[in-house]
Amino acid sequence: MIVFFAGSAYDGVAGTDRHLADELATMRPVLYVDPPCSVLTPLLRTRPAAAMRARSMLGPALRQEKSGLWRLVPRVLPGTRRPGMHHVTTRWTRAKVRRAAARLGQPVTAAIATVPDDLLGAVEGVPTMYYVTDDLAAGAELLGLPRRRLLAAERRQAEAADALAVVSPVLKERFAAMGLDAAVVPNGCSPAAYAGVDEAPWPDDVPRFDRPAAGFVGNLNGRVDLDLLEGVADAGHPLLLVGPRDASCPAERFAALTARPDVVWTGMRPHTELPRYLRAIAVGLTPYVLNDFNRASFPLKTLEYLAAGRAVVSTALPATDWLREDAEGAALVRAESSREAFVKAVGDELAASAEHGRAEPGKAEQSMAGRRRAYAARHDWKYRAREIADLLDQVGGPRDSGDQARPGR
């Protein structure tokens, strides 16, 4: 069994941790360990984030989520991140993981962590991996944690792990400056989930727009450039926003944006429902603020838009450059960072979508939508899981008898 120490709750917004763990579970049993949760969380459910975690607290601490995957919700004392108290939280979590593994009766063969907390030693004598999915130190203010503490914890974790993997080339360079070699394993997508997006039922909470719409799917937080979303709305384009709003997203500006007649905000929706919402848009948006935290990221949403055959307009992130063109040189993602250029790119793609909609249906596979889907298929999560498994193999981790080829970029 692989113990997977995640940075997000399994039933939260589906991100790297959940997608990767789900795919690994098709190869080996997985114990997915949620971030530690205070026993007082259910009392704070008036706060959006606490309300989400409260749902997790209501069920058993150890539960089976799907075939081959169990989930542990470590319930710990309040003040989980306070100085000094975070060491107690870590010790409690490690003990709870050992008890859960013993209860399941599954031999632990490897441990993976996407957080810098000292958790990989919870089960001794197995190969370990630190998989870095964000530049946590650069996002210290957004996370509300001390930068110095994050830097120290991250370095300790990277040096202690048997294998080190990162989600982007920017993160690889960052660890190289520390003298540490990291393998780049980018985010992926689930192409099969979006195969029937154009025939998916129209979402009940979204009106049928009278012209092509742009959309954003994901966490609405301080990473998102509201100025770009406001620019799209100012230009008169219908805008669909799907995802929870975090406190770091300015409340008044966001309320004013979502009050506009052609802007629809649904709040958080299950990941399994996303094809329905992507059916309602023609252009997917990745409007991230240009800072060190975002430059080191690899936005999941960009690949998911492509898997759905949608045009993509993003700010100019290194990950965007990595995904810019397919093998034939077709531009798959428009990258613009100024408000004027971003809004113009959105308008151009919406106009192109309207024109393609009038094209002969029989030529769909030759269209840009078909090329986007074909490109996204090369970045299936099953290939990312295989890369992680291969890295664990190299340090003595679990082996799987499958012989899937892994395509290159």
Side-chain angles (χ1 to χ4, degrees):
M1 181 173 68
I2 299 173
V3 177
F4 195 109
F5 295 99
S8 58
Y10 187 82
D11 59 355
V13 175
T16 304
D17 294 351
R18 175 167 175 174
H19 288 298
L20 184 57
D22 280 347
E23 197 58 50
L24 285 170
T26 67
M27 301 160 57
R28 285 276 175 171
V30 170
L31 174 61
Y32 186 101
V33 184
D34 272 21
C37 190
S38 165
V39 293
L40 295 182
T41 295
L43 303 179
L44 305 173
R45 64 176 66 187
T46 53
R47 301 176 187 174
M52 244 191 291
R53 293 310 312 273
R55 293 199 302 269
S56 300
M57 295 288 288
L58 297 176
L62 180 63
R63 65 198 79 167
Q64 186 167 12
E65 293 287 348
K66 60 189 298 185
S67 177
L69 189 143
W70 290 263
R71 174 190 180 195
L72 175 66
V73 182
R75 294 162 183 167
V76 297
L77 295 174
T80 58
R81 293 293 179 182
R82 290 177 184 170
M85 191 63 198
H86 66 285
H87 294 302
V88 176
T89 299
T90 298
R91 286 197 294 271
W92 275 41
T93 302
R94 288 167 64 139
K96 289 174 182 293
V97 167
R98 285 192 288 268
R99 287 197 293 270
R103 181 178 167 187
L104 292 174
Q106 296 273 2
V108 177
T109 52
I112 301 171
T114 60
V115 291
D117 304 318
D118 184 20
L119 295 167
L120 286 175
V123 184
E124 297 180 353
V126 301
T128 59
M129 173 185 288
Y130 181 30
Y131 183 32
V132 186
T133 59
D134 282 303
D135 187 341
L136 296 180
E141 184 177 350
L142 182 65
L143 299 170
L145 295 172
R147 176 181 171 84
R148 182 178 297 180
R149 192 173 95 194
L150 283 171
L151 281 169
E154 185 177 63
R155 180 160 196 143
R156 284 195 301 269
Q157 186 86 303
E159 291 176 341
D162 296 311
L164 176 63
V166 295
V167 80
S168 71
V170 173
L171 286 170
K172 180 178 176 67
E173 293 172 4
R174 183 168 174 270
F175 281 97
M178 303 180 198
L180 299 169
D181 185 30
V184 177
V185 182
N187 278 327
C189 60
S190 301
Y194 300 100
V197 63
D198 294 320
E199 290 76 41
W202 193 273
D204 298 333
D205 51 354
V206 177
R208 289 186 177 270
F209 302 111
D210 59 0
R211 56 199 185 283
F216 171 90
V217 174
N219 282 306
L220 290 148
N221 53 27
R223 301 179 66 178
V224 175
D225 192 337
L226 272 186
D227 190 48
L228 298 181
L229 293 178
E230 290 166 342
V232 172
D234 286 344
H237 304 306
L239 181 60
L240 174 62
L241 306 174
V242 181
R245 186 192 74 83
D246 184 77
S248 59
C249 179
E252 290 186 8
R253 285 182 66 186
F254 187 74
L257 173 65
T258 54
R260 303 188 192 200
D262 282 337
V263 177
V264 176
W265 175 43
T266 68
M268 181 177 173
R269 292 294 180 266
H271 190 265
T272 53
E273 294 293 308
L274 291 188
R276 299 178 63 190
Y277 291 93
L278 290 185
R279 181 192 172 183
I281 68 171
V283 179
L285 307 179
T286 308
Y288 277 13
V289 174
L290 291 179
N291 56 28
D292 289 342
F293 186 68
N294 285 336
R295 286 189 182 94
S297 70
F298 197 104
L300 278 167
K301 58 182 61 61
T302 300
L303 275 172
E304 290 179 332
Y305 297 147
L306 292 174
R310 272 39 186 171
V312 183
V313 179
S314 170
T315 41
L317 303 170
T320 304
D321 290 335
W322 196 81
L323 292 169
R324 186 75 65 86
E325 298 177 347
D326 65 8
E328 289 72 38
L332 298 176
V333 179
R334 294 281 296 272
E336 303 290 351
S337 296
S338 73
R339 173 178 168 135
E340 180 181 4
F342 188 93
V343 173
K344 182 180 184 304
V346 173
D348 290 345
E349 294 298 335
L350 288 172
S353 173
E355 185 64 30
H356 291 158
R358 291 187 288 270
E360 185 181 343
K363 297 183 178 180
E365 286 306 311
Q366 302 171 25
S367 69
M368 278 303 300
R371 299 182 78 161
R372 294 175 192 128
R373 291 186 171 103
Y375 183 77
R378 298 164 55 191
H379 300 277
D380 196 305
W381 276 114
K382 65 184 178 183
Y383 302 132
R384 301 300 189 242
R386 172 59 61 190
E387 289 180 82
I388 293 294
D390 285 350
L391 288 170
L392 286 170
D393 283 350
Q394 293 170 21
V395 293
R399 294 184 179 275
D400 180 70
S401 59
D403 190 27
Q404 289 175 305
R406 191 171 67 251
R409 178 178 172 269

